[in-house]
Amino acid sequence: MTAIVSLESLAAAISPGATLAVPADYSGVAMAATAALLQRGTGRLHLVCVPASGMQSDILVGEGLVETLETSAVTLGEAGGAPRFQAAARKGSIKLIDATCPAIHAGLLAAQKGVPFMPIRGIIGSDVLAQRKDWKVIDHPFASDDPIVIVPAISPDVALFHAPEADRFGNVRIGRRRELATMAYAAKSTLVTVERISETSLFEDERNVAGVLPALYVSQIAVAERGAWPLGLWGEYDADGAEIARYAQMARTVEGFRAYMDGFLQRARAAA
């Protein structure tokens, strides 16, 4: 049964060294939970970005909590590059695993289906393939002269995201964000923060059922109002572009990043 817990308890369910799947900025990023994770100092994380990431990953890297980062991109979008990620990549202080968006989705799909790998097109001849020794080119078993790439299953220990709503039974509304379902299906456990809890089952209205992640795939839920801020949450609030731009400017230096994080964590503690 899905447990409804405090934000601090939810963050405590992520262990040091865990493989943690996180969504792209447009898909519901659990920033309040990220702040709780920072306060715990949970480190040696292997982040799997589904399929890319932004401010969340940049902050975790800047705080020294990331050991490995598997992603197709880390960017702050219109605010520019991700400064702490870029600094860490240049310095070599994190292990960077280059991927493509389809390859990450394919790896998660393999884990969901319980198979060791998934075939994928469009990578042969690329520089990414040359860097990924764990991606293999095999002969098409049903056709001649048609090589294909297989990528290994990606099985995160934890999937973490923020959504608009859950019900008291543990079902979570994810709307059209099917990548969140893919993360949950592939992960060993799924932790979700939400804006609110509904007393009525989200499965009650058949018109909305396709956009609901069943409680079967959800381990813990915590309420965190505006829990994606300063990023946005579909159907609820837009991203705070000015705040993200302020972060991008300050995080260009270690000193500026530290100053920003002091304020970020103070706001998180006040909201808790």
Side-chain angles (χ1 to χ4, degrees), residues 77-214:
E78 293 184 359
R84 292 299 92 209
F85 161 74
Q86 292 174 344
R90 287 193 295 266
K91 187 178 179 182
S93 59
I94 59 172
K95 179 182 179 183
L96 183 58
I97 303 178
D98 286 330
T100 68
C101 298
I104 287 177
H105 284 292
L108 292 169
L109 183 61
Q112 172 189 337
K113 294 182 177 299
V115 297
F117 57 81
M118 188 66 61
I120 186 171
R121 295 283 189 185
I123 297 177
I124 292 177
S126 70
D127 290 340
V128 178
L129 180 59
Q131 299 299 318
R132 290 296 301 262
K133 303 307 180 185
D134 57 334
W135 293 358
K136 307 297 183 182
V137 179
I138 65 169
D139 294 329
H140 191 316
F142 304 112
S144 60
D145 194 28
D146 185 18
I148 194 166
V149 175
I150 56 172
V151 300
I154 300 173
S155 303
D157 295 313
V158 180
L160 174 67
F161 62 85
H162 185 69
E165 184 179 25
D167 62 29
R168 63 184 179 88
F169 308 103
N171 307 303
V172 178
R173 180 159 63 87
I174 61 171
R176 68 182 69 182
R177 305 300 179 188
R178 302 310 303 170
E179 61 272 30
L180 301 180
T182 301
M183 289 167 52
Y185 297 153
K188 299 177 179 67
S189 67
T190 298
L191 308 178
V192 184
T193 57
V194 295
E195 295 290 315
R196 57 192 169 270
I197 300 290
S198 170
E199 292 299 315
T200 303
S201 172
L202 295 178
F203 283 115
E204 194 164 283
D205 188 340
E206 188 171 347
R207 293 169 298 179
N208 299 325
V209 168
V212 176
L213 177 67

Side-chain angles (χ1 to χ4, degrees), residues 39-52:
Q39 291 172 2
R40 293 186 60 83
T42 304
R44 296 186 292 108
L45 295 173
H46 177 154
L47 288 189
V48 177
C49 306
V50 185

Side-chain angles (χ1 to χ4, degrees), residues 223-242:
V223 175
E225 294 182 11
R226 295 189 63 82
W229 182 91
L231 303 175
L233 182 63
W234 75 94
E236 300 288 329
Y237 45 87
D238 294 330
D240 188 338

